[in-house]
Amino acid sequence: MKGKVLVFGGTTEGRILSDYLRDYCIPHEVSVATEYGRDILAEKGEDKLLVGRKDRGEIEKVIKDGSFTIVVDATHPFATVVSEEIKGACDSAKVRYLRLKRDTGKELTGRDDIIYADTLKEAVSALAAISGNILLLTGSKDLQDISDSFPDVSRLYARVLPNEESIGKCAKAGLSGKQIFAMQGPFSRQMNVATIKEINASAIFTKESGRTGGLSEKLEAALECGIKAVVLKNPENKSENSEGYSLEKVLQLLAEHCEIEIVLQKNITLAGIGPGGEEYFTRELTKEFEVADVIFGAQAVVRNLGNGFIKKSHKEIPIIPEYSGEKIYKYLEENSEFKHPLVLFSGDISLCSGAKKASEYFRDRNYKIKRICGISSVTFFAERLGLSLEKVRIVSAHGRQCNVRGYVAQNEEVIILPSDADNAREICSLTAGSSQIIGMSESVTAKAQNTGENMVVTVGCDLGTTDEKILKISEKPELAADISGKCLIYVKNPAAVHQPAAHGLSDDEIIRGKAPMTKEEIRALSMRKLALTGNAVFYDIGAGTGSVSLEAALLSPDINVYAIEKKDEAVALLQQNKEKFGADNIEIIHGEAPEALDLPAPTHVFIGGSGGNMGKILATVFTSNESARIVINAVTAETFAEIMECLRDYPNIEPDIIQVFACRYKKAGRYHLADALNPVYIITLQKGEKHDRD
């Protein structure tokens, strides 16, 4: 490794840069002006420190004596004299000079309540024209110049660092007692508002120091309090020729100079906070609060942190009401000084779709992600109800389409996470009826009714808070009106234990009418050939009464079924059967294929009737998904011939063809007579599929 780096810091940017230099073991030292700056860096683990202000000659001597080969100026943007001294010393010592420039954002022009000044003299003149008390948020450096030019020093109040030097400058400038706020930042908007109100300020004075200097929080506080803000412009922004680099560019240049590779992998922590109260924070989360320098979360999650745990930890850090990965990323890109962002989610992140999306978003952008689990609302709810979770199916309907009735039909115990209180009431209305309504066959319903057990529906609202409610909706349906806040639903369906382990419907259970229906023996073989997966997108083309659609929908609540049917009578029967079996994952498409197939790409397709459009249907399906698995039922020789002719266009498909003969027997007196079903061809098509039956 070549090169040795000298950093002039004391600023947030300088501290972040020194963190990277230590992480990559780059030889360096950091020069700070004050002991206060030294103490902050020492707390972060920096042990290569030079303390004290230096002129050009002293800086040049440090460069030569320390054999430094490159210098980074990370001083405050308003320390222009210091920057000139550093740059001059570098020129004399013939070493490279890099200016780490702070992004101070854009001016808020066109506002009467925000006044920008090019010089300190202009700023003091603007302040003097405002009656009432003035809160100075520019530190102690310029206090003497301000008080010398200000007509009434008794109207000035200053917030400075809590050290002897700063307080001494306040006294020398004529400020004393309650005019001095000796505090360590950073400061939140709320803290700034409190200070403004404490002295009944009419205006604040601040420097254009960007996010790092808390400019946004200061201006937001002034606007909230309805007072003026006088802003001293960043001198570096006034010169078009002012050369400077971002932190990322400085690190890139240092890597090239020292002949090493620096990978700027950033860090972010995603954490669940449980029900929300501090008493439910995990120890790991408590430790994370100590290192976080910015916190994100939905408004409902972060709204109490400012006056709660964060304040107890004796540090004020920005709390941003946002949980979208994209928006958080944009904020962090615009405010690169934050190195330890923490994103909070209610409950546990393993049951939070927001945490999952944020994880994927930041992982794709080379972030190192730390995940901290919390006490989930499901665990909390189970404890309140005295449940054992090993047999409970947990279903999220939060912000997504979910076939809740399907899950309830198949599972004796279900805990549902709804989107909100309205969604919870809607789900309760679907699940609080008889077992027949939620998708049970008549035989299963009869068995369930013989047990004498009724369905149980219970809602937990705002668990772990002072507003907590446990509502037993199945006992008192009118309690559904009291559902509010964040909630969960528990449903116990005794009928589910009587569901056959092997799926399949009897023909007698399906409402038939005059529409054609695939018989159950043929359905059983066709379903086996379809080999539906749990996340299938399934087309039932020529659905008729919907017998195949029902078989698919009841196989798993996660299967998305599209029943395509052109005849009005059949569509009406489809709707009746969908309601009878609670098959909410069936979407009925009234139309003719292939025109009606403008749908999500299918993974599986059943063709029970093509209306003479077999070639066009196959072309449409394979265009949408060339790997789709298709099963076709053909009764007539003409239909079979049509299919075989169409397959000439697909030489890479080897069809699997079987012909099924089934015969039922009916009792006639003391005899059983054969009642044969029509022979049916079952043809399976899938690209790349091989069928060797030798």
Side-chain angles (χ1 to χ4, degrees):
M1 181 186 294
K2 296 182 179 180
K4 187 178 179 183
V5 183
L6 175 61
V7 179
F8 285 87
T11 58
T12 301
E13 295 90 348
R15 291 193 287 274
I16 295 173
L17 176 60
S18 68
D19 287 343
Y20 278 108
L21 297 178
R22 287 196 308 279
D23 290 344
Y24 286 92
C25 300
I26 298 174
H28 70 281
E29 291 187 32
V30 182
S31 177
V32 295
T34 65
E35 293 183 357
Y36 177 75
R38 176 201 63 192
D39 293 343
I40 292 177
L41 278 165
E43 288 179 4
K44 292 173 67 65
E46 184 61 68
D47 56 2
K48 301 175 179 66
L49 291 160
L50 302 172
V51 183
R53 293 182 175 86
K54 300 172 181 63
D55 60 22
R56 181 178 305 192
E58 291 170 324
I59 295 172
E60 183 179 351
K61 186 175 186 304
V62 168
I63 293 172
K64 291 180 177 179
D65 291 348
S67 299
F68 294 103
T69 58
I70 191 166
V71 174
V72 180
D73 176 7
T75 59
H76 197 279
F78 284 82
T80 52
V81 174
V82 176
S83 291
E84 286 298 321
E85 294 287 289
I86 297 171
K87 191 174 188 304
C90 289
D91 291 340
S92 299
K94 293 182 172 48
V95 298
R96 187 171 183 184
Y97 168 87
L98 299 177
R99 172 60 177 155
L100 176 52
K101 193 173 182 181
R102 179 183 296 181
D103 181 8
T104 54
K106 298 180 180 179
E107 292 183 15
L108 300 176
T109 56
R111 298 189 64 101
D112 295 335
D113 42 11
I114 300 178
I115 302 167
Y116 285 90
D118 288 319
T119 65
L120 182 64
K121 183 178 180 180
E122 288 181 14
V124 174
S125 177
L127 290 168
I130 300 171
S131 59
N133 295 331
I134 306 297
L135 177 59
L136 305 176
L137 302 175
T138 53
S140 61
K141 181 174 177 288
D142 299 315
L143 275 178
Q144 190 65 55
D145 292 335
I146 294 172
S147 65
D148 287 346
S149 305
F150 201 79
D152 183 2
V153 177
S154 67
R155 292 200 291 124
L156 297 178
Y157 293 77
R159 188 169 70 191
V160 298
L161 291 172
N163 55 42
E164 291 184 10
E165 181 182 10
S166 296
I167 295 173
K169 287 182 178 180
C170 288
K172 189 175 179 180
L175 279 64
S176 62
K178 64 181 182 179
Q179 289 178 277
I180 304 172
F181 291 84
M183 305 170 70
Q184 176 184 336
F187 301 102
S188 65
R189 174 188 57 79
Q190 295 95 324
M191 179 63 75
N192 291 330
V193 167
T195 308
I196 289 169
K197 291 182 177 180
E198 175 71 20
I199 67 169
N200 192 27
S202 299
I204 65 169
F205 177 41
T206 184
K207 294 177 179 178
E208 189 184 24
S209 52
R211 171 65 69 178
T212 301
L215 179 62
S216 295
E217 288 78 5
K218 295 171 186 176
L219 295 181
E220 288 170 4
L223 296 177
E224 181 176 329
C225 294
I227 66 173
K228 292 184 179 298
V230 177
V231 182
L232 182 59
K233 289 183 179 180
N234 179 3
E236 290 185 315
N237 290 345
K238 291 187 289 184
S239 173
E240 294 183 0
N241 299 321
S242 178
E243 184 179 9
Y245 303 102
S246 66
L247 175 63
E248 288 76 11
K249 184 63 176 178
V250 166
L251 285 168
Q252 178 188 334
L253 294 171
L254 289 177
E256 294 171 357
H257 179 82
C258 298
E259 297 183 358
I260 66 168
E261 182 179 358
I262 296 179
V263 179
L264 295 179
Q265 186 178 54
K266 300 176 183 179
N267 300 295
I268 193 165
T269 299
L270 310 180
I273 65 169
E278 180 186 337
E279 65 271 28
Y280 300 114
F281 291 171
T282 64
R283 289 187 178 182
E284 190 177 12
L285 175 60
T286 300
K287 291 179 181 178
E288 200 64 27
F289 275 126
E290 296 297 326
V291 298
D293 52 11
V294 61
I295 292 176
F296 300 91
Q299 183 68 53
V301 173
V302 302
R303 62 187 173 193
N304 296 321
L305 291 179
N307 296 321
F309 184 82
I310 301 301
K311 192 170 183 180
K312 289 183 181 180
S313 67
H314 303 292
K315 64 184 209 176
E316 291 286 342
I317 62 178
I319 299 175
I320 314 299
E322 185 54 68
Y323 64 93
S324 161
E326 183 177 358
K327 293 180 180 178
I328 292 172
Y329 175 78
K330 182 179 179 182
Y331 181 94
L332 293 175
E333 287 295 293
E334 294 173 351
N335 302 277
S336 59
E337 68 272 16
F338 295 120
K339 197 172 182 184
H340 299 287
L342 171 61
V343 187
L344 301 177
F345 299 90
S346 62
D348 179 33
I349 55 175
S350 65
L351 283 172
C352 178
S353 58
K356 179 182 178 182
K357 292 176 182 177
S359 292
E360 295 170 350
Y361 192 88
F362 282 102
R363 190 175 294 112
D364 291 343
R365 284 152 183 81
N366 199 37
Y367 269 73
K368 182 179 180 181
I369 301 170
K370 180 179 180 181
R371 293 168 60 91
I372 298 176
C373 62
I375 300 175
S376 74
S377 55
V378 170
T379 301
F380 212 91
F381 196 27
E383 187 278 327
R384 286 289 192 264
L385 299 181
L387 302 177
S388 181
L389 285 175
E390 67 266 16
K391 292 185 178 180
V392 177
R393 179 65 185 263
I394 300 167
V395 177
S396 175
H398 186 84
R400 60 188 286 265
Q401 289 292 327
C402 180
N403 182 14
V404 172
R405 290 200 291 181
Y407 284 107
V408 171
Q410 294 187 10
N411 298 274
E412 184 180 7
E413 295 182 272
V414 180
I415 289 180
I416 305 153
L417 287 71
S419 292
D420 50 31
D422 289 338
N423 184 222
R425 281 188 284 271
E426 179 183 351
I427 291 172
C428 286
S429 69
L430 290 173
T431 59
S434 69
S435 56
Q436 179 65 47
I437 293 177
I438 61 162
M440 296 296 164
S441 66
E442 293 172 2
S443 59
V444 172
T445 300
K447 290 179 182 178
Q449 290 172 343
N450 290 335
T451 66
E453 293 185 81
N454 296 317
M455 185 171 296
V456 174
V457 180
T458 305
V459 179
C461 304
D462 293 319
L463 298 171
T465 73
T466 55
D467 297 324
E468 179 180 306
K469 291 180 290 190
I470 303 293
L471 306 174
K472 296 184 178 181
I473 306 298
S474 51
E475 295 180 8
K476 294 183 178 180
E478 64 272 15
L479 290 177
D482 296 332
I483 296 175
S484 61
K486 293 184 291 185
C487 46
L488 293 89
I489 305 168
Y490 168 71
V491 180
K492 182 175 182 181
N493 178 19
V497 298
H498 301 289
Q499 277 279 54
H503 287 270
L505 295 173
S506 166
D507 286 350
D508 294 336
E509 294 179 299
I510 300 170
I511 303 171
R512 295 183 58 178
K514 295 181 180 180
M517 182 180 74
T518 303
K519 301 299 189 292
E520 64 181 273
E521 294 83 359
I522 306 304
R523 286 201 308 273
L525 284 169
S526 297
M527 293 301 296
R528 172 63 189 88
K529 291 294 185 179
L530 277 165
L532 293 172
T533 55
N535 61 345
V537 176
F538 175 56
Y539 291 179
D540 180 6
I541 298 175
T545 60
S547 62
V548 174
S549 293
L550 290 170
E551 296 276 12
L554 298 179
L555 190 64
S556 169
D558 291 323
I559 294 176
N560 293 315
V561 178
Y562 294 92
I564 298 99
E565 176 56 54
K566 64 181 180 180
K567 296 180 180 178
D568 295 343
E569 181 184 0
V571 168
L573 288 170
L574 270 168
Q575 188 63 48
Q576 292 178 54
N577 280 311
K578 174 182 175 178
E579 289 301 317
K580 176 180 178 179
F581 289 92
D584 293 339
N585 49 338
I586 294 178
E587 182 174 341
I588 300 170
I589 307 298
H590 190 178
E592 185 172 5
E595 290 78 15
L597 301 184
D598 186 15
L599 302 166
T603 58
H604 300 75
V605 177
F606 177 78
I607 304 176
S610 66
N613 295 323
M614 185 65 71
K616 293 180 180 179
I617 291 172
L618 292 178
T620 300
V621 169
F622 284 131
T623 298
S624 184
N625 178 11
E626 64 176 10
S627 299
R629 187 174 180 88
I630 302 175
V631 171
I632 309 171
N633 281 185
V635 177
T636 68
E638 288 77 10
T639 302
F640 179 75
E642 179 189 5
I643 296 167
M644 300 311 293
E645 181 65 28
C646 292
L647 289 180
R648 293 178 182 273
D649 296 331
Y650 304 96
N652 59 338
I653 295 180
E654 181 183 342
D656 173 29
I657 305 172
I658 63 173
Q659 188 175 32
V660 180
F661 299 83
C663 188
R664 296 174 179 174
Y665 281 80
K666 293 183 178 180
K667 189 174 182 180
R670 60 191 185 90
Y671 297 99
H672 287 80
L673 299 179
D675 184 14
L677 304 180
N678 290 325
V680 178
Y681 292 98
I682 300 178
I683 304 165
T684 305
L685 310 175
Q686 188 168 29
K687 289 187 177 180
E689 189 83 355
K690 298 295 182 183
H691 309 286
D692 186 359
R693 303 196 181 281
D694 293 339

